[in-house]
Amino acid sequence: MAQKNNTATVKDIKYYQKKFWQLLVYGLGVMILFFFLASWGFFGSMPSFEDLENPESNLATEIISSDGVTIGKFYNENRTPIKYEDLPPHLVKALVATEDERFYEHSGIDGRRTLGAAIKLGSDGGASTITQQLAKLLFHGEGSSFKPFRVIQKVKEWIIAVKLERQYTKNEIIAMYLNKADFVNTAVGIRSASKVYFGKEPRDLSIDEAAMFVGMLKNPSLYNPLRRLEKVKNRRNTVLDQMVRNKVLDKTSRDTLASKPIVLNFHPESHKEGTATYFREFLREYMKNWVKENKRADGSDWDIYSDGLKIYTTIDSKIQEHAEEAVQAHMKNLQQEFFAEQKNNKNAPFINITDDETKRIMNQAMKNSERWRVMKDMDKSEEEIIASFDVKAKMKIFSWKGEIDTLMTPMDSIRYYKHFLQAGLMSMEPQTGHIKAWVGGIDYKYFQYDHVGQGARQVGSTFKPFVYATAIEQLGMSPCDSIIDSPFMIHKGRHNVTKDWEPKNSDHQYRGMVTLKRALALSINTVSAKLIDKTGPDAVVNLTKKLGVKSEIPAQPSIALGAVEITVEDMVAAYSTFANQGVYIKPQFISRIEDKNGVVLYEPVPDSHDVLNKDIAYAVVKLLEGVTESGSGVRLRTEGGGSGDNRWTGYPYMFTNPIAGKTGTSQNQSDGWFIGMVPNLVTGVWVGCEDRSARFKGITYGQGATAALPIWGYMMKKCYEDKDLQISKDPFERPDNLSIKVDCWTPRKVETDSTAVPTEEEEQNIDDFEL
C-alpha cells in the first residue's frame, strides 16, 4: 500500500512538471504571438518604416529676422526643433540621471526596471525608458486608463521603442524627446520652453534651470512653475540629487544650486503679442496664398502651422525694436494732448460733424465689431444685438498706462476707442527693397487694422515731390530755378477742371520769386499748382504709377496738394526710388523659405525697373534735403523748441548728417506724415485717427511735423546710438558729371514750420472733386 502511494506521488510530480512546461511554452507562444499581432497592427495601427523615418512632429514655423532673431512663429503647438549639438551637456546628464539611468546600455527597454515594475504591479510608477516615452509622445499620446488597453499600449511602446533604437542614435533620440516634450504655457519642446520661461536659448541654460525642465517632464501640469513654484523647486532639487547619485554633479555644487530660488523671465508666445505683430499677421496672410502656389513634391499643400518651415525675413530685429519703441513713446505723449483737447467736446472725438454722421460712424463700427459677429453666429436678431450694445458689461480696455478692468456699455467702448490716435511706420533699404521695420499700429491686441499695408490715407504735401520730379524731367527745370509765388487759378475746362480752382497757401502769404528748393521746403501750394499746370496732371499720374503707387489717382490738378490716398508701403517705396538713383525696387519682406531640413523652397526674385535717370533722382533728393535744412523738417537739426515742443518726443534730435524728407498734412489735420531718407534707409510715418472726423482742431499738433516727424527722429536717434547697426550718416551719392544744377545759394535763415494745409475754400474744392 505504501509503495502504491509513493508511485502515485511520483506520477503527480511528473504531471505537474509537464503541465508547467506546457504552460510556459504556451504562455511564451501566446506572448510571442501577441507581440507579432501588435507589431502587425492587429490591436491598432503601428508606425511604418516611413513613419519612423519621418515621425509626425507638428513643428512651428519660425519667422526669422535678417539678423538671425526668431521674431515670431505660426503654430498649432509652439515647438521649434533643436539639434543634439545645441543642447547643454548638463541638461542631457540631468535627463538621463533622472529618467533613464541605463539609457546608454539598453536597446529601448530596460529589462531590470521592467521586471521590478512588474513585480510591484506598477505601484512605484512605470519603468518607461526615454525611448519608450518618445514612442508614446510620437505615436500614441497618453493612451487609455483601462488596464487591458493600457497593457496593449505598453506592448506597442516596447515594439516602437526597439524600432526607434534601431533607426536612430542615442543622441538623436534624446534630441527628439526634448523637442517633443510639452512644458505647458504655450511651450512645447525644450527650445520653446527655454524662450518662454527664461528668455534664452537652451545652450544658455544654467544647471538649475535645466534641472527644472527635467523635473517638469514627470508631470508638466503638476510641476507648472507659474502655479506651484515651491513644488517645482522641490522637484528640481530631486533631479539635482539624481545627478549626484549618478556622479555627474558633486555634492557641494548640488547644495549651492538647491538653495537658489527659481527666477522666471516668463514671456508667453502669442500671435497678438511680441515683436512685429502687424508684420507677422501680414506675413501670415501672404503665406496663405504662398502655399497654394508652391506645392510639395507630391502636390499637397504645405502647412505653415505644423511643417516646421523657416521663413527668413528682411526685417531687422534691432531697427524693428527701435521703430516700435519710437511709436510707443510718441503716441503715448501725443495722445495726452488729444485727450486734453477733447475734454470740452460734447461729441468727442468727432469734430464738426452732424448727429446723423456720428450715428452712421458708430453704427458702422458696431456692425464691424467682434461682438456683432459672434452674436450673429448665434442666430440673434438684429434688434437683440443692437440692444446688447447698450447694456453695461465687464471688460478690459486698452490704455497707455496698461489694461484697465472696467464696467461700460459696448457702445461706450467703441466711442472710447475712436479717441485713440493710430500710427503706421515702414522702413526700407532703397538699394535692395528689403523692408527693415513694419509697425502697423499702436497695439495689435486691441487695434488690428494695419496702417502700413492696408490703410491708404490722404498724403498731403508728401505727394509734392512727385510733381516736382515730373517738372524736372518734363520741363528741364532744376532745384535752383526760380518761380513766382503769387495768386494762381486754373480755370474751368483746363485739365478737366469742372470749376475754377484757386489754391491758397496755408499761411495766406505770397513770397514772390522763390527757387524750387525753397518752394518745396516751405511747401508752397501755389508753386505746386503752377508746376502741375505746366506738366499736366497726366504726366504726374504716369510718373507716380512708375514709382509703384497702386492707388487710383485722378488726373486732376488738385492732386498736386496731396488729395490722394496712398499706403505707407507705397509711399516709402516711391521715395526710395529717389534714394536709389531713379531705380524702383518693389518692397521685399522675405529672403528665403526653407523646410524643416534646411532645403530652400523659395527665394524671391527682385522686381525693379528704371523710373528716372540718376541726375533727376539726385535733384529730387537735393530738393528734399532743403526740407530739413530750412523747412518744416528743420527741427531735426535744432534745439530751440517752439510751438508744441512738449509733444516733440525725443527732441532735441540734433542731427548733423544729410537728411532728405518731407512732411505732409491732409485737410483738417486728419493725417500727419513724414517720410525721411538717409542713403541706406527710407522710413515713412503716418499718424491720425481711425476716422477722419476725429482729429486735432488746429495745425500745431495736427501737422505732420508734430504728429509724425518726432517718431522718425526718435527712431533714428536710437538707430544711430545702436552700435550693431550701420545706418549711414554719409551724403547721398552724387552722380558723375551731374547735368542739373543742385547747389543753390540760399540766405542763412531758418524758417518757421509751414506744412501745407488746405484752406476752407480749398477744402471745399477738393471735397467737390472727391465727390
Side-chain angles (χ1 to χ4, degrees):
M1 189 73 177
Q3 187 178 358
K4 185 177 179 181
N5 288 339
N6 186 50
T7 304
T9 302
V10 171
K11 280 179 87 176
D12 287 344
I13 292 172
K14 289 181 178 179
Y15 173 80
Y16 285 114
Q17 285 177 336
K18 182 179 178 181
K19 288 293 184 184
F20 170 77
W21 288 110
Q22 285 179 337
L23 185 62
L24 182 62
V25 171
Y26 289 149
L28 287 172
V30 169
M31 188 176 294
I32 292 169
L33 179 62
F34 185 80
F35 271 85
F36 273 113
L37 290 173
S39 181
W40 294 333
F42 186 79
F43 300 114
S45 63
M46 290 288 286
S48 65
F49 178 81
E50 289 76 17
D51 292 331
L52 290 172
E53 279 284 329
N54 299 286
E56 178 59 45
S57 53
N58 202 19
L59 296 175
T61 287
E62 278 190 276
I63 306 166
I64 303 168
S65 69
S66 61
D67 52 330
V69 176
T70 298
I71 58 175
K73 298 175 185 176
F74 302 138
Y75 58 84
N76 296 319
E77 290 181 357
N78 180 17
R79 176 155 24 86
T80 308
I82 190 171
K83 295 179 180 178
Y84 179 85
E85 294 75 26
D86 295 322
L87 296 170
H90 49 261
L91 173 63
V92 176
K93 291 174 181 176
L95 174 65
V96 173
T98 306
E99 294 293 319
D100 192 352
E101 292 175 331
R102 285 177 291 279
F103 174 71
Y104 293 104
E105 300 168 16
H106 63 66
S107 297
I109 303 171
D110 188 337
R112 194 188 309 176
R113 289 179 67 195
T114 302
L115 182 61
I119 292 172
K120 296 180 181 180
L121 299 177
S123 60
D124 286 349
S128 292
T129 63
I130 290 174
T131 317
Q132 286 175 257
Q133 291 179 49
L134 174 61
K136 180 170 67 174
L137 289 172
L138 286 176
F139 301 107
H140 292 286
E142 284 304 314
S144 174
S145 58
F146 183 51
K147 290 284 185 181
F149 290 171
R150 187 75 188 94
V151 169
I152 292 172
Q153 184 184 350
K154 204 68 182 175
V155 170
K156 293 168 76 173
E157 284 176 18
W158 289 344
I159 296 168
I160 295 169
V162 172
K163 289 183 176 181
L164 286 171
E165 289 275 351
R166 290 176 180 174
Q167 197 70 30
Y168 298 101
T169 67
K170 292 287 187 180
N171 291 350
E172 287 173 332
I173 288 170
I174 283 179
M176 289 172 69
Y177 176 60
L178 289 173
N179 281 329
K180 185 68 177 174
D182 188 349
F183 293 93
V184 298
N185 297 312
T186 77
V188 181
I190 191 62
R191 189 175 181 206
S192 291
S194 298
K195 290 269 192 178
V196 167
Y197 289 107
F198 295 113
K200 59 176 69 173
E201 291 288 343
R203 61 175 173 270
D204 299 321
L205 290 172
S206 61
I207 295 175
D208 54 304
E209 289 168 345
M212 186 198 86
F213 285 131
V214 172
M216 289 178 69
L217 292 169
K218 184 175 183 180
N219 187 333
S221 297
L222 178 63
Y223 298 109
N224 184 339
L226 297 186
R227 296 183 179 179
R228 304 178 182 88
L229 200 58
E230 192 59 34
K231 189 180 284 290
V232 172
K233 182 180 177 182
N234 292 336
R235 177 62 185 162
R236 177 202 69 181
N237 292 350
T238 299
V239 173
L240 295 174
D241 290 337
Q242 283 296 109
M243 294 177 74
V244 172
R245 176 186 164 187
N246 285 272
K247 297 181 174 56
V248 294
L249 184 70
D250 62 77
K251 184 71 166 59
T252 303
S253 298
R254 180 267 173 211
D255 293 341
T256 302
L257 293 169
S259 65
K260 293 176 67 174
I262 293 175
V263 181
L264 301 176
N265 181 16
F266 185 65
H267 289 94
E269 295 188 345
S270 164
H271 297 311
K272 294 185 178 181
E273 296 173 354
T275 303
T277 46
Y278 290 92
F279 172 74
R280 280 154 40 197
E281 186 57 33
F282 167 80
L283 182 63
R284 185 206 305 276
E285 291 300 315
Y286 172 84
M287 290 301 294
K288 286 180 181 178
N289 293 320
W290 183 88
V291 296
K292 294 176 183 176
E293 298 169 2
N294 298 268
K295 305 285 187 179
R296 296 171 183 266
D298 62 3
S300 62
D301 287 347
W302 292 99
D303 188 334
I304 65 171
Y305 301 104
S306 63
D307 282 340
L309 302 179
K310 284 182 168 46
I311 306 174
Y312 290 89
T313 71
T314 62
I315 295 291
D316 186 293
S317 70
K318 289 293 188 72
I319 298 177
Q320 179 72 30
E321 178 186 327
H322 299 321
E324 290 183 3
E325 183 181 342
V327 168
Q328 296 276 313
H330 181 60
M331 298 308 291
K332 182 178 181 180
N333 185 19
L334 193 64
Q335 188 68 50
Q336 293 178 49
E337 191 68 41
F338 192 77
F339 279 139
E341 194 177 275
Q342 295 293 332
K343 276 185 178 178
N344 298 319
N345 179 7
K346 292 182 180 180
N347 195 29
F350 308 114
I351 305 289
N352 297 336
I353 63 172
T354 65
D355 290 341
D356 286 342
E357 288 173 314
T358 302
K359 187 176 180 180
R360 179 185 59 78
I361 291 171
M362 297 296 288
N363 285 342
Q364 187 62 46
M366 177 175 64
K367 291 181 179 181
N368 289 338
S369 70
E370 182 67 8
R371 170 183 282 269
W372 184 282
R373 186 192 66 79
V374 170
M375 294 187 74
K376 200 73 175 173
D377 289 345
M378 295 168 64
D379 293 327
K380 298 289 185 182
S381 69
E382 193 162 304
E383 291 75 18
E384 288 177 299
I385 299 174
I386 292 172
S388 76
F389 275 81
D390 290 320
V391 178
K392 287 188 175 182
K394 290 182 179 180
M395 62 181 72
K396 282 184 185 291
I397 59 173
F398 170 82
S399 88
W400 280 113
K401 295 180 179 179
E403 289 183 327
I404 298 173
D405 289 304
T406 189
L407 186 70
M408 66 166 62
T409 69
M411 190 60 81
D412 284 343
S413 74
I414 289 174
R415 187 178 282 269
Y416 170 75
Y417 283 127
K418 293 288 187 185
H419 280 74
F420 282 93
L421 293 161
Q422 299 295 327
L425 177 153
M426 191 183 100
S427 293
M428 176 173 141
E429 191 174 74
Q431 292 76 23
T432 62
H434 290 179
I435 295 172
K436 293 298 176 183
W438 180 301
V439 186
I442 59 173
D443 188 295
Y444 184 77
K445 184 176 180 181
Y446 287 94
F447 307 98
Q448 295 181 11
Y449 189 81
D450 186 348
H451 293 284
V452 171
Q454 284 180 290
R457 297 292 293 244
Q458 200 171 93
V459 296
S461 294
T462 56
F463 191 87
K464 289 178 179 176
F466 307 152
V467 178
Y468 280 67
T470 306
I472 294 172
E473 181 182 45
Q474 300 285 327
L475 309 176
M477 301 183 76
S478 83
C480 302
D481 285 348
S482 295
I483 192 168
I484 297 176
D485 171 21
S486 60
F488 177 71
M489 178 182 290
I490 295 179
H491 293 284
K492 178 182 177 180
R494 181 171 171 79
H495 302 312
N496 304 315
V497 171
T498 55
K499 64 180 181 179
D500 291 349
W501 182 60
E502 186 179 11
K504 300 289 198 318
N505 290 331
S506 59
D507 57 4
H508 303 286
Q509 295 180 15
Y510 299 99
R511 293 168 177 80
M513 195 68 74
V514 293
T515 64
L516 289 192
K517 186 172 184 179
R518 182 169 168 77
L520 185 62
L522 302 181
S523 215
I524 298 173
N525 286 340
T526 60
V527 172
S528 296
K530 287 181 178 181
L531 291 177
I532 202 169
D533 180 53
K534 291 176 182 291
T535 65
D538 287 327
V540 176
V541 172
N542 290 338
L543 176 63
T544 306
K545 288 296 182 181
K546 289 180 184 177
L547 290 168
V549 173
K550 296 182 282 292
S551 303
E552 285 297 321
I553 304 174
Q556 292 281 342
S558 58
I559 65 175
L561 308 185
V564 180
E565 295 183 354
I566 304 175
T567 64
V568 173
E569 182 182 8
D570 280 1
M571 287 299 286
V572 171
Y575 270 63
S576 293
T577 305
F578 303 133
N580 192 37
Q581 300 185 324
V583 178
Y584 168 83
I585 298 184
K586 185 178 180 180
Q588 188 171 308
F589 49 89
I590 292 176
S591 297
R592 69 184 186 280
I593 299 175
E594 296 179 355
D595 68 11
K596 65 181 180 181
N597 299 315
V599 177
V600 176
L601 304 175
Y602 172 74
E603 281 185 295
V605 177
D607 181 0
S608 66
H609 58 261
D610 292 338
V611 178
L612 300 166
N613 70 45
K614 292 181 181 182
D615 290 6
I616 295 172
Y618 184 72
V620 176
V621 168
K622 297 306 286 186
L623 282 171
L624 293 169
E625 284 184 359
V627 175
T628 67
E629 293 167 355
S630 62
S632 56
V634 74
R635 66 184 52 163
L636 290 170
R637 305 190 180 283
T638 63
E639 57 178 343
S643 181
D645 65 348
N646 60 319
R647 300 303 179 200
W648 301 349
T649 313
Y651 186 82
Y653 313 106
M654 295 301 292
F655 297 121
T656 58
N657 55 292
I659 297 169
K662 187 72 189 78
T663 56
T665 310
S666 67
Q667 53 182 316
N668 288 328
Q669 300 84 240
S670 296
D671 306 275
W673 287 80
F674 182 70
I675 302 176
M677 306 193 297
V678 295
N680 63 350
L681 193 69
V682 178
T683 301
V685 183
W686 165 88
V687 170
C689 284
E690 181 181 287
D691 297 278
R692 288 176 171 82
S693 52
R695 54 183 174 80
F696 281 106
K697 296 176 183 177
I699 190 70
T700 299
Y701 298 104
Q703 64 177 310
T706 305
L709 179 144
I711 293 177
W712 190 92
Y714 190 106
M715 170 190 157
M716 291 300 289
K717 256 178 104 170
K718 291 288 182 183
C719 286
Y720 282 135
E721 290 168 2
D722 195 327
K723 303 302 180 185
D724 293 331
L725 298 175
Q726 296 181 340
I727 307 301
S728 175
K729 289 187 176 182
D730 298 331
F732 289 86
E733 184 178 351
R734 187 184 184 101
D736 295 332
N737 302 316
L738 181 64
S739 61
I740 300 174
K741 184 179 180 182
V742 297
D743 301 314
C744 317
W745 179 86
T746 54
R748 295 181 62 80
K749 180 180 177 183
V750 174
E751 295 287 342
T752 56
D753 243 28
S754 174
T755 304
V757 182
T759 62
E760 290 184 9
E761 181 181 351
E762 185 179 339
E763 288 166 9
Q764 185 62 51
N765 289 338
I766 293 173
D767 289 341
D768 291 344
F769 163 71
E770 289 179 334
L771 289 172

